Amino acid sequence: MDPETVEFPNLPERLIGLGELADNLWWSWQPSARMLFKMLDRQAWKESGHNPDKMLREMPSEILASAAANDDYLRNYDVVLSQFYRYLSDKSCRFLNSFPCDPNTFAVAYFSAEYGLHRSLPFYAGGLGFLAGDHIKECSDLGVPLVAVGFMYPQGYLHQHIREDGWQENIHESINREAAPISRVLDNEGRQLVVRVPFIDPAIHVGVWKVNVGRISLYLLDTDIENNDPWNRGISARLYIGDIEQRLRQEIVLGIGGAEVLEILGIKHYLMHLNEGHAAFAILERIRDRIQEGMPYPQAIEQVRNTTVFTTHTPVPAGHDVIPFHLMEKHFHSYWPALGLDRDAFLQQGIHPEQPHAGFNVTAFALRMSAYCNGVSKRHGEVSRQMWQSLWPGASESEVPVDHITNGVHVPTWIEPRMKRLFDTYLGPEWLTDHDNPLFWELIDKIPNEALWRTHYWLKIKLIDAVRERSRLRWAGDRVSPSIVIAGGTLLDPSVLTLGFARRFATYKRAELIFYDMERLKKLLNDRWRPIQIIFAGKAHPADDPGKQIIQRVFNAARDPETGGRIAFVEDYGEQLAQYMVHGVDIWLNNPLPPMEASGTSGMKAALNGVPQLSIMDGWWIEGFNGKNGWAFGHKEVDGNRDVADAAELYRILEEELIPMYYNVSDDGVPLNWVNVMKNSIKSNAAKFSARRMVKEYIEKFYAKGLESVLLHQNEG
Ligand SMILES: *Cc1c(COP(=O)(O)O)cnc(C)c1O
């Protein structure tokens, strides 16, 4: 069952490796590999949306032939390809010493409903997806033997347009499967592999796709195939469908279907890591396998528990799926007999003792069935232990077996290439290889202030150019009104202190907090000598009307002449815009309602690139803030509505600390104290909030221990 060999008909023999390169997302975090595609034809690269797969398919053979005859191009090509092949062949499994490296056996099967990998694969909604994407990229870099499972969302592109009146419109664009960096997994007859989700009645089938993420294979499940009836074809159409039954079907497909796909492909794995509860039903398949081999139920559960890792991301009870019993019965009535259970014993596994009649609580089930559970920051660990305490009757809060592993970001993906070159120069070229070593980052002080500032300033101009270009295209192409163009950021000024606020527009993120006292804010925006400007971006969930209302108000503020063109709302937030923003704004603003931000990761991306935080004490920033690497507020608990207090602190910090520091520049125009904060931001956060630190923690705390228990077992057996 070899994956489809992708055809690039115009590719000359001498450049045949470009096809392989295009087919592995490794290029997305290797500037030198990206350059290879860009050098072929800059315009085509841009028009493809930085998607080499698409670009190579459409590229005229003359361009490729001329590259194949260009010595300079070929030298670069040979270097990048040799790096690529070396990367792929290094299967060292350095971090799981006890693990026998064998190509069909994996230590970990990682399940997630979304993956944020690159703009050409729109299989994400937000932070959870980027965390999963960064996790598997880092596992690839570290050589962790892991296989990943997720969904293919054929209608994953949800473009955001803001109407004249400020209301968000969602434009669904179907993905062109042939032009995305994915390939069909084929069966023995050379057709796309189709797998039936076992024991689920009525039947559901999934087609299987594969994405190469460096050394990691990510298998994607697609229900939009002919074998399914129309109702089932839409199961994987898009992320997080509101209808609870359709969501249950999604979870059945991801968990039970995903586990079956691995089984059919002959991919053995010892541990399972569930990124949030959406794939929790995969646990059932692991139990069923053991029952089928004749193991008694209690022993099967024990073995599965000792090899299951569950990461929870949601700090509010309402965010967890609770499936009504009648729906569980409808879809699982053929399943529980396969486990040797009756209805009640089966449903009992998902009962939350505080709401025993509410339904089957998927998270409660996953927590019970996993020996290794964690929240995604120190604070979120505490919140989770409080929230789930009743699942462990008699345990005190600190005894609740939910640990924490703070999130991190994949450094090669999120470091801006020009900033990377600056680090190469002053930290030495080894810094990237050893980037979770905090000692390296002490060398940040060697970077001349002026050099860091100029690099940052260049990135700010690049961001503002990109924002203006988007507005220009909307104006010229869609004929939108000039006031929309202004709201879209055409009046932004690179010399002005620029705040960035970009994330999903869920109400708890409080995008409007800074508007709390509009008169006070207008004074800051319109200050003649020391103005500020704010760039907003983010989508509301299509079903979230309160979130859309916030966007509408922000948008209307942006086109109100009284805010002086100093507020921008940039449409269609996604991976590409996120890159521009975390690299190019001066300060990263984040003020969710504590303790609702489980971790947050966009601020980590900013910090790595020398963009300090202005953030409320919640999520990762409680661990990140050290008094000199940015600003923090909201330390105190507040009863009831805390907007007043939080807004007051926000204004005070801006007026008394941030603005004066930013505009206090040396004779050659460098804000020295500010640059010092930038340096501290990089120095203290880059290693600590890297995906490398995070994955190593998963290995040490969970993967290695789980594996030990398996290997011990095997030796006994
Ligand atoms: C990193 C990232 C996120 C997650 O950001 P939060 O800080 O969790 O809000 C969301 N969307 C995109 C496009 C990202 O790159």
Side-chain angles (χ1 to χ4, degrees):
M1 269 174 278
D2 285 317
E4 180 185 35
T5 33
V6 183
E7 292 285 326
F8 298 110
N10 294 342
L11 215 51
E13 188 58 33
R14 180 65 176 88
L15 297 179
I16 207 76
L18 283 181
E20 278 175 77
L21 202 58
D23 220 23
N24 190 317
L25 286 177
W26 180 78
W27 60 259
S28 73
W29 69 91
Q30 291 297 324
S32 58
R34 285 203 299 275
M35 196 48 86
L36 218 47
F37 295 115
K38 196 168 163 184
M39 278 164 73
L40 285 173
D41 182 344
R42 275 174 179 267
Q43 189 62 24
W45 175 242
K46 195 171 170 197
E47 280 164 12
S48 73
H50 297 182
N51 175 353
D53 208 279
K54 183 160 189 273
M55 183 175 107
L56 286 188
R57 274 167 206 275
E58 293 165 2
M59 181 147 284
S61 51
E62 305 84 74
I63 294 185
L64 292 164
S66 101
N70 178 333
D71 287 342
D72 187 39
Y73 188 83
L74 290 175
R75 269 193 296 275
N76 280 299
Y77 169 88
D78 290 336
V79 170
V80 172
L81 264 288
S82 70
Q83 289 174 327
F84 178 53
Y85 293 137
R86 195 178 58 208
Y87 181 88
L88 289 186
S89 64
D90 174 16
K91 299 222 185 325
S92 51
C93 306
R94 270 165 292 173
F95 297 92
L96 287 166
N97 293 334
S98 58
F99 188 73
C101 277
D102 133 20
N104 291 317
T105 310
F106 293 82
V108 185
Y110 183 87
F111 280 64
S112 177
E114 47 172 310
Y115 289 89
L117 291 160
H118 184 256
R119 66 208 65 148
S120 58
L121 290 173
F123 304 148
Y124 62 85
L128 180 73
F130 282 93
L131 180 80
D134 283 7
H135 189 99
I136 64 174
K137 286 175 182 173
E138 191 59 52
C139 285
S140 170
D141 288 348
L142 286 175
V144 179
L146 177 142
V147 60
V149 178
F151 259 130
M152 150 95 192
Y153 299 102
Q155 296 171 38
Y157 281 114
L158 198 165
H159 291 295
Q160 176 195 51
H161 265 191
I162 306 296
R163 256 176 12 200
E164 199 99 13
D165 63 355
W167 193 251
Q168 165 180 306
E169 281 183 329
N170 309 308
I171 297 164
H172 284 279
E173 181 188 317
S174 295
I175 183 172
N176 176 357
R177 293 172 173 80
E178 306 309 326
I182 53 178
S183 53
R184 288 190 170 79
V185 176
L186 303 182
D187 64 15
N188 293 330
E189 273 113 61
R191 285 186 302 244
Q192 182 168 28
L193 177 68
V194 171
V195 170
R196 189 192 154 152
V197 182
F199 287 91
I200 295 302
D201 180 28
I204 307 174
H205 295 87
V206 293
V208 187
W209 299 82
K210 185 177 166 200
V211 188
N212 298 309
V213 185
R215 287 181 266 177
I216 303 289
S217 298
L218 163 60
Y219 292 96
L220 300 174
L221 316 177
D222 184 1
T223 59
D224 186 18
I225 54 173
E226 280 173 12
N227 312 46
N228 281 329
D229 64 51
W231 175 248
N232 282 341
R233 285 183 77 146
I235 290 178
S236 72
R238 49 187 85 142
L239 277 110
Y240 308 127
I241 298 173
D243 176 64
I244 187 78
E245 181 165 9
Q246 196 68 335
R247 196 145 75 212
L248 171 61
R249 288 166 197 263
Q250 281 193 333
E251 296 184 1
I252 287 172
V253 168
L254 181 61
I256 301 184
E260 177 73 0
V261 165
L262 294 181
E263 175 84 29
I264 300 265
L265 289 171
I267 293 174
K268 292 200 280 290
H269 53 275
Y270 291 123
L271 313 180
M272 184 171 277
H273 184 171
L274 304 167
N275 187 43
E276 192 53 296
H278 310 112
F281 295 133
I283 294 170
L284 293 173
E285 274 297 276
R286 306 189 75 211
I287 300 173
R288 189 176 68 79
D289 278 349
R290 286 165 175 77
I291 303 266
Q292 219 167 27
E293 285 165 15
M295 199 182 278
Y297 187 74
Q299 201 184 332
I301 289 222
E302 205 41 40
Q303 228 187 59
V304 168
R305 272 194 87 247
N306 286 334
T307 52
T308 305
V309 178
F310 174 60
T311 302
T312 173
H313 291 260
T314 313
V316 276
H320 296 265
D321 282 332
V322 180
I323 317 282
F325 293 127
H326 72 274
L327 291 179
M328 290 298 289
E329 284 167 5
K330 178 172 166 191
H331 293 276
F332 283 97
H333 64 91
S334 321
Y335 202 95
W336 60 67
L339 298 177
L341 298 180
D342 61 18
R343 174 196 174 276
D344 287 350
F346 178 76
L347 294 178
Q348 191 58 37
Q349 307 174 104
I351 297 290
H352 191 319
E354 288 165 30
Q355 300 135 345
H357 306 297
F360 188 94
N361 187 310
V362 179
T363 307
F365 168 68
L367 286 166
R368 281 201 184 100
M369 294 292 174
S370 311
Y372 305 102
C373 299
N374 70 296
V376 290
S377 68
K378 187 163 179 282
R379 176 81 184 113
H380 180 232
E382 293 160 11
V383 171
S384 302
R385 284 190 289 277
Q386 265 168 28
M387 204 161 97
W388 300 104
Q389 192 178 359
S390 65
L391 291 188
W392 287 272
S396 71
E397 210 171 286
S398 62
E399 288 165 351
V400 171
V402 180
D403 203 336
H404 79 270
I405 293 178
T406 304
N407 284 345
V409 296
H410 184 241
V411 170
T413 295
W414 294 105
I415 185 76
E416 200 285 328
R418 192 172 278 226
M419 195 59 86
K420 173 180 176 292
R421 286 204 295 276
L422 189 69
F423 293 177
D424 287 345
T425 307
Y426 292 98
L427 279 63
E430 286 300 303
W431 77 266
L432 190 57
T433 327
D434 203 12
H435 70 250
D436 63 330
N437 179 353
L439 294 176
F440 253 104
W441 296 100
E442 291 300 319
L443 299 173
I444 283 289
D445 285 333
K446 283 175 58 186
I447 302 178
N449 293 325
E450 166 133 18
L452 182 58
W453 181 246
R454 297 282 169 244
T455 302
H456 169 70
Y457 203 83
W458 186 83
L459 295 175
K460 181 151 73 158
I461 291 174
K462 215 174 129 188
L463 160 68
I464 291 177
D465 283 351
V467 168
R468 286 191 188 143
E469 176 64 5
R470 282 174 176 233
S471 279
R472 192 186 69 79
L473 291 174
R474 281 281 271 148
W475 190 52
D478 305 342
R479 313 271 150 180
V480 300
S481 94
S483 75
I484 291 198
V485 176
I486 286 174
T490 39
L491 297 181
L492 292 170
D493 175 350
S495 69
V496 170
L497 168 57
T498 306
L499 282 61
F501 185 101
R503 47 187 53 85
R504 290 214 295 144
F505 269 59
T507 38
Y508 81 86
K509 301 264 196 183
R510 295 196 295 181
E512 290 175 287
L513 188 73
I514 199 164
F515 296 165
Y516 196 84
D517 181 345
M518 206 58 196
E519 292 315 308
R520 198 164 168 186
L521 176 64
K522 281 181 196 163
K523 282 207 190 85
L524 301 180
L525 296 168
N526 294 313
D527 189 282
R528 179 129 181 230
W529 307 111
R530 305 187 310 179
I532 66 170
Q533 61 191 0
I534 315 172
I535 305 179
F536 287 93
K539 295 172 185 165
H541 187 284
D544 178 13
D545 281 349
K548 290 186 202 166
Q549 282 158 6
I550 297 175
I551 289 181
Q552 188 169 40
R553 288 191 293 266
V554 170
F555 189 79
N556 285 335
R559 58 182 192 166
D560 179 354
E562 299 234 327
T563 58
R566 299 266 190 236
I567 296 179
F569 184 93
V570 189
E571 288 173 326
D572 210 23
Y573 185 56
E575 184 263 340
Q576 186 168 29
L577 183 57
Q579 293 275 9
Y580 281 120
M581 286 196 60
V582 298
H583 301 152
V585 299
D586 291 310
I587 187 107
W588 197 252
L589 175 64
N590 190 23
N591 47 39
L593 195 62
M596 303 276 279
E597 183 97 310
S599 166
T601 50
S602 53
M604 301 172 183
K605 302 166 191 169
L608 168 68
N609 287 283
V611 174
Q613 315 292 305
L614 168 55
S615 175
I616 204 152
M617 282 303 238
D618 197 19
W620 77 280
W621 190 232
I622 296 175
E623 293 157 73
F625 179 60
N626 70 5
K628 45 186 190 180
N629 59 356
W631 288 267
F633 59 102
H635 294 74
K636 287 198 249 11
E637 296 270 339
V638 178
D639 281 336
N641 186 339
R642 56 180 300 157
D643 291 357
V644 194
D646 290 342
E649 269 197 278
L650 178 56
Y651 294 127
R652 189 200 60 75
I653 293 172
L654 282 168
E655 289 161 355
E656 292 176 13
E657 299 179 27
L658 231 139
I659 298 173
M661 186 189 280
Y662 184 86
Y663 284 104
N664 177 12
V665 297
S666 68
D667 292 343
D668 25 357
V670 181
L672 294 174
N673 293 336
W674 183 271
V675 173
N676 192 34
V677 178
M678 289 173 65
K679 286 184 169 176
N680 277 307
S681 163
I682 304 171
K683 214 194 293 184
S684 58
N685 294 319
K688 196 167 168 188
F689 300 102
S690 66
R692 179 155 302 176
R693 187 274 309 148
M694 170 183 79
V695 168
K696 283 185 178 173
E697 244 183 275
Y698 275 104
I699 292 173
E700 282 158 23
K701 282 187 168 171
F702 295 165
Y703 296 173
K705 279 197 200 146
L707 269 181
E708 262 168 44
S709 91
V710 180
L711 298 175
L712 199 71
H713 222 82
Q714 282 183 343
N715 293 341
E716 283 168 0

